[in-house]
């Protein structure tokens, strides 16, 4: 395949420019460190823009870089209008944004407004007295009827936080509890209060005026809650499940439409909005992403990344079947249809590495990473590449709990061990699903700290950087990096990738993922064996040309049958004229 100059998203005047775009997520802490303090930073990102430009991505999404005490690595914001000193300054940010734009890419900020840090001035005011003007900016409630503040079970509801323990913390100053769906240092903002909403919209406009190109909105479907705050039904652990009362609440669509109106209406330029939405159904996703409703361009749904969670939740591992993955992704393709729009992802900073989770990070490492990427990128939707995924970075071999850094894993470990679970079993589940897997430093080369830092990294570098690194892959035509380049180029150059419809093929096959995309006179056929055994399937590709494959010696198909090696992926194209 000849590589041509990508048709960059910035050169179009299409309001839905993001259909032919690919987004690259940077977790700044772990991307590139310029000053040797062991933490990635903005000048570090600037120094690595060549890698992204050569890859061909259109948009960079930065995980939070705002001022923060880092209880949750920046997802706890203390100042929405400043850069945290560990990442740099506003001047560094402006320089990065200028460089990104200069290279024809866009930059999207993380918007974390379901909650702030408990060190945000709004919360400091809010907690200071029951009659402070900002008291109602957060969710404050007295102890449960019949209980004294601090009594066991006195929390206003029985909900369990995403990061273990109750969602309520008692504040001694006023003797009331505040709500935090995540860590105790992440109090939830009260979106019922119009002043809160206006403050958020003003902040968003401030960043857009500074030149950013949009927002990835953190757990945005949690901002509308059932104001009655009812107890949840007890789950496996006996703690109440508050999810039905705080997710996808009654005013969520109203808030999204208001945000669109207040922030984006009448604003020139090409923007991207993507809402992270745990538990969102496809029915709701259609509503959120129908352009006629003016809410969001796309959402991140969670169905496919929850398939390996057992009844006890994410730390209760459950085998993942390819057939379940096909059924789930296929349903989203079908149901979002031509009205809504999908975000396509297999990894991010909250998920284990995709090659370790869905593929084979041993014998078939290269083939499985490229097969998964092929299947994902050629779906209908906007693909997201998480840093290091384009190199096939793998889960980390954390040997002890002392090597972990993530608040979610550490809280879970502590609570589980206190509850009497075997520490090794708990650690083994964390090793499998924990978020630190995605947060080890990007492996740039084979030097002692993988070219990430000259200091001591805040979290250990994966020992496999000696052979798995960007320098080793950049000029190797058979590398995972080069395969991602080719996939991204297909989206830029072939309208059928960006705009075609989707039909699942071989729907009942247990391991082969196959589908067709049609647009005008072109049909694309994607087929991949997502397993470690060779397979032979009934698929007639005789009228097609082979466009791309992830093996060098792919065997020509015989009439009506296709033989695929382990983790082999092929892309065929035909044009009727
Ligand atoms: C979702 C983010 O992706 C995750 O990293 C964070 O911990 C929670 N939201 C809380 O902000």
């Amino acid at each position: 395949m000849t590589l041509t100059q990508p048709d960059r998203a910035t050169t179009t005047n299409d309001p839905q420019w993001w259909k032919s775009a690919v987004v690259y997520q940077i977790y700044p802490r772990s991307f590139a460190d310029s000053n040797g303090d062991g933490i990635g930073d903005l000048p570090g990102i600037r120094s690595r823009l060549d890698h992204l430009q050569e890859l061909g991505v259109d948009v960079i999404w930065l995980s939070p870089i705002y001022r923060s005490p880092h209880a949750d690595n920046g997802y706890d914001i203390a100042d929405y209008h400043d850069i945290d000193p560990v990442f740099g300054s506003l001047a560094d940010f402006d320089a990065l944004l200028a460089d990104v734009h200069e290279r024809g890419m866009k930059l999207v900020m993380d918007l974390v407004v379901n909650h702030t840090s408990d060190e945000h001035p709004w919360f400091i005011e809010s907690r200071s007295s029951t009659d402070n003007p900002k008291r109602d900016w957060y969710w404050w409630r007295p102890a449960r009827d019949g209980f004294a503040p601090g009594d066991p079970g006195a929390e206003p509801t029985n909900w369990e936080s995403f990061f273990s323990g109750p969602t309520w913390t008692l504040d001694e100053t006023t003797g009331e509890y505040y709500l935090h769906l995540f860590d105790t240092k992440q109090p939830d903002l009260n979106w019922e209060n119009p002043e809160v909403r206006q403050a958020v919209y003003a902040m968003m406009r401030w960043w857009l005026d500074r030149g950013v190109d949009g927002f990835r909105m953190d757990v945005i479907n949690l901002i509308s809650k059932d104001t009655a705050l009812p107890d949840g039904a007890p789950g496996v652990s006996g703690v109440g499940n508050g999810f039905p009362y705080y997710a996808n609440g009654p005013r969520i669509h109203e808030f999204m439409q208001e945000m669109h109106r207040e922030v984006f209406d009448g604003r020139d330029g090409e923007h991207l909005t993507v809402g992270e939405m745990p538990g969102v159904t496809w029915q709701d996703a259609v509503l959120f992403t129908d352009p006629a409703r003016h809410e969001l361009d796309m959402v991140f749904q969670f169905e496919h990344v929850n398939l390996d969670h057992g009844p006890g939740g994410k730390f209760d591992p459950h085998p993942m079947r390819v057939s379940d993955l096909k059924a789930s992704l296929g349903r989203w393709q079908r149901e979002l249809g031509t009205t809504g729009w999908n975000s396509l992802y297999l990894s991010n900073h909250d998920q284990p590495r995709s090659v370790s989770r869905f593929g084979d990070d041993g014998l078939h490492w290269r083939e499985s990473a490229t097969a998964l990427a092929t299947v994902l990128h050629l779906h209908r939707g906007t693909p997201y590449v998480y840093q290091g995924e384009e190199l096939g970075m793998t889960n980390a071999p954390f040997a002890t709990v002392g090597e972990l850094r993530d608040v979610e894993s550490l809280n879970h470990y502590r609570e589980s061990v206190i509850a009497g679970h075997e520490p090794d079993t708990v650690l083994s589940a964390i090793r499998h699903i924990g978020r630190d897997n995605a947060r080890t430093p990007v492996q740039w080369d084979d030097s002692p700290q993988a070219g990430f830092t000259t200091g001591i990294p805040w979290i250990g570098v994966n020992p496999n950087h000696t052979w798995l690194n960007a320098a080793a892959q950049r000029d190797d035509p058979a590398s995972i990096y080069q395969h991602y380049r080719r996939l991204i180029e297909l989206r830029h150059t072939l309208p059928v990738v960006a705009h075609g419809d989707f039909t699942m093929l071989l729907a009942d096959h247990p391991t082969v993922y196959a589908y067709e995309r049609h647009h005008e006179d072109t049909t694309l056929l994607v087929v991949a064996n997502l397993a470690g055994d060779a397979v032979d399937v009934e698929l007639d590709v005789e009228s097609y040309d082979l466009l791309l494959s992830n093996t060098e010696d792919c065997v020509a198909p015989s009439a009506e049958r296709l033989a695929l090696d382990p983790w082999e992926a092929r892309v065929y194209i035909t044009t009727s004229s």
Side-chain angles (χ1 to χ4, degrees):
M1 190 181 74
T2 351
L3 291 174
T4 50
Q5 248 337 86
D7 170 19
R8 290 234 167 267
T10 39
T11 64
T12 74
N13 286 315
D14 178 359
Q16 297 186 351
W17 59 272
W18 29 260
K19 290 191 170 176
S20 57
V22 176
V23 183
Y24 187 94
Q25 181 192 354
I26 290 182
Y27 194 67
R29 243 186 135 67
S30 307
F31 191 70
D33 172 25
S34 72
N35 60 2
D37 68 356
I39 302 177
D41 49 40
L42 301 183
I45 297 174
R46 280 182 79 195
S47 74
R48 296 287 184 183
L49 289 178
D50 281 352
H51 176 84
L52 306 184
Q53 194 176 12
E54 280 165 30
L55 187 58
V57 295
D58 307 273
V59 181
I60 296 170
W61 146 31
L62 287 185
S63 275
I65 50 171
Y66 312 89
R67 196 175 275 274
S68 161
H70 294 279
D72 186 17
N73 288 355
Y75 281 91
D76 49 318
I77 297 172
D79 185 347
Y80 288 109
H81 297 93
D82 203 1
I83 305 297
D84 194 276
V86 301
F87 298 128
S89 61
L90 275 170
D92 291 325
F93 176 80
D94 290 339
L96 171 65
L97 185 61
D99 277 3
V100 167
H101 284 163
E102 171 100 349
R103 289 165 185 259
M105 297 184 280
K106 297 183 192 294
L107 192 139
V108 161
M109 298 290 273
D110 218 304
L111 180 82
V112 188
V113 290
N114 172 68
H115 45 269
T116 65
S117 163
D118 65 342
E119 297 183 30
H120 193 291
W122 295 343
F123 188 73
I124 292 171
E125 273 197 55
S126 182
R127 80 186 325 173
S128 64
S129 69
T130 50
D131 56 5
N132 183 277
K134 292 220 166 36
R135 184 67 169 180
D136 188 45
W137 281 42
Y138 294 84
W139 296 84
W140 291 99
R141 291 293 183 275
R144 190 182 282 273
D145 276 353
F147 287 76
D151 281 356
E155 289 82 12
T157 70
N158 64 356
W159 304 350
E160 184 178 23
S161 127
F162 283 102
F163 291 167
S164 306
T167 55
W168 297 93
T169 290
L170 176 63
D171 191 45
E172 300 292 348
T173 318
T174 57
E176 288 191 337
Y177 289 81
Y178 65 88
L179 176 70
H180 54 88
L181 297 181
F182 294 89
D183 190 59
T184 176
K185 285 185 68 63
Q186 293 169 295
D188 278 48
L189 281 165
N190 176 14
W191 275 68
E192 296 297 317
N193 185 330
E195 289 177 16
V196 168
R197 305 204 297 275
Q198 288 306 327
V200 169
Y201 305 150
M203 178 269 285
M204 293 172 75
R205 290 190 295 261
W206 187 87
W207 281 103
L208 291 169
D209 291 346
R210 206 170 187 101
V212 308
D213 303 293
F215 299 97
R216 172 270 185 189
M217 303 178 188
D218 191 67
V219 291
I220 201 70
N221 63 329
L222 307 189
I223 61 174
S224 164
K225 288 141 174 115
D226 179 337
T227 53
L229 304 179
D231 272 338
V236 178
S237 60
V239 191
N241 174 17
F243 198 81
Y245 307 114
Y246 60 68
N248 305 306
R251 301 182 69 188
I252 186 64
H253 291 286
E254 175 197 334
F255 290 164
M256 291 292 90
Q257 286 173 6
E258 181 183 77
M259 177 190 283
H260 192 284
R261 213 168 39 244
E262 296 280 332
V263 178
F264 294 101
D265 270 8
R267 187 174 279 273
D268 284 340
E270 294 174 339
H271 302 112
L272 182 144
T273 56
V274 50
E276 187 208 25
M277 299 202 171
V280 69
T281 60
W282 63 258
Q283 289 90 339
D284 242 341
V286 172
L287 299 179
F288 283 120
T289 64
D290 175 352
R293 293 171 55 87
H294 303 289
E295 297 189 23
L296 293 164
D297 296 330
M298 58 195 94
V299 303
F300 288 125
Q301 57 93 8
F302 280 65
E303 198 178 281
H304 64 299
V305 290
N306 289 346
L307 291 172
D308 57 358
H309 297 181
K314 71 180 280 185
F315 293 107
D316 174 19
H318 176 81
M320 160 96 65
R321 290 188 313 207
V322 174
S323 50
D324 292 340
L325 186 66
K326 283 170 61 173
S328 171
L329 292 179
R331 179 164 50 247
W332 279 79
Q333 289 288 300
R334 188 177 65 240
E335 301 299 347
L336 263 54
T338 50
T339 310
W341 191 250
N342 285 285
S343 300
L344 308 171
Y345 76 99
L346 290 178
S347 57
N348 61 37
H349 66 292
D350 292 332
Q351 303 293 335
R353 289 285 177 182
S354 53
V355 68
S356 301
R357 185 188 204 177
F358 300 99
D360 170 356
D361 60 12
L363 185 60
H364 299 296
W365 164 72
R366 197 196 70 83
E367 292 73 18
S368 64
T370 48
L372 289 165
T374 306
V375 164
L376 187 79
H377 275 241
L378 301 178
H379 275 99
R380 183 178 169 82
T382 298
Y384 286 71
V385 181
Y386 176 65
Q387 65 184 34
E389 180 190 326
E390 77 283 14
L391 307 173
M393 277 181 62
T394 66
N395 279 355
F398 298 113
T400 65
V401 67
E403 294 173 27
L404 302 175
R405 297 288 178 271
D406 176 26
V407 59
E408 182 191 47
S409 295
L410 293 171
N411 286 357
H412 170 72
Y413 183 85
R414 194 187 56 239
E415 301 254 326
S416 306
V417 171
I418 290 171
H421 296 279
E422 186 50 49
D424 281 349
T425 314
V426 179
L427 186 57
S428 146
I430 292 176
R431 209 180 279 123
H432 179 74
I433 201 85
R435 308 194 298 179
D436 280 328
N437 282 304
R439 300 176 180 186
T440 62
V442 170
Q443 296 166 205
W444 296 105
D445 58 40
D446 62 1
S447 65
Q449 301 300 353
F452 164 70
T453 182
T454 53
I456 310 292
W458 70 277
I459 186 170
V461 166
N462 193 318
N464 65 14
H465 72 277
T466 49
W467 59 269
L468 194 174
N469 59 66
Q473 294 192 31
R474 193 164 304 119
D475 299 324
D476 174 3
S479 69
I480 297 172
Y481 177 80
Q482 289 295 341
H483 193 81
Y484 268 80
R485 262 190 94 199
R486 290 189 279 267
L487 289 170
I488 293 168
E489 197 202 350
L490 288 185
R491 178 163 295 268
H492 290 153
T493 51
L494 293 180
V496 66
V497 176
H499 304 290
D501 65 8
F502 178 95
T503 309
M504 187 68 89
L505 305 175
L506 305 174
D508 298 326
H509 196 286
T511 60
V512 172
Y513 201 128
Y515 57 86
E516 263 181 0
R517 309 279 317 275
H518 296 275
H519 180 67
E520 296 175 347
D521 56 357
T522 308
T523 303
L524 199 71
L525 192 155
V526 179
V527 55
N529 176 13
L530 300 189
D533 296 314
V535 70
D536 188 57
V537 288
E538 203 171 310
L539 208 56
D540 188 354
V541 294
E542 275 203 311
S543 54
Y544 288 80
D545 294 322
L546 184 68
L547 184 66
L548 180 70
S549 92
N550 68 343
T551 54
E552 276 174 21
D553 50 352
C554 85
V555 178
S558 60
E560 295 180 12
R561 294 210 70 83
L562 191 64
L564 295 168
D565 279 342
W567 294 100
E568 182 171 354
R570 298 187 189 189
V571 182
Y572 289 95
I573 193 163
T574 186
T575 308
S576 56
S577 43

